[in-house]
Amino acid sequence: MNIQMGRGLQIQIRRMGSPATREDQVDIFGAADPDTIGTVAEQRQYFERWLDSLK
């Protein structure tokens, strides 16, 4: 859906225990602290934990 709505230029920040909202969308080319960026593997692990946190 982000690809359709944001032309693939936005992602959603996922917060443990909370469903994603439009307010959680950020520009993929925006400024970010390098310490907050995870590897693809870390992002996948976080996503799985986030899904579990919604149960």
Side-chain angles (χ1 to χ4, degrees), residues 22-45:
R22 282 197 167 187
E23 289 77 31
D24 294 324
Q25 290 182 335
V26 296
D27 183 4
I28 63 172
F29 295 113
D33 179 355
D35 293 333
T36 65
I37 307 300
T39 65
V40 172
E42 291 169 331
Q43 291 175 44
R44 285 186 180 135
Q45 289 173 345

Side-chain angles (χ1 to χ4, degrees), residues 9-25:
L9 300 176
Q10 293 183 331
I11 59 168
Q12 288 182 317
I13 302 298
R14 308 292 174 140
R15 300 174 202 288
M16 290 295 171
S18 299
T21 66
R22 282 197 167 187
E23 289 77 31
D24 294 324
Q25 290 182 335

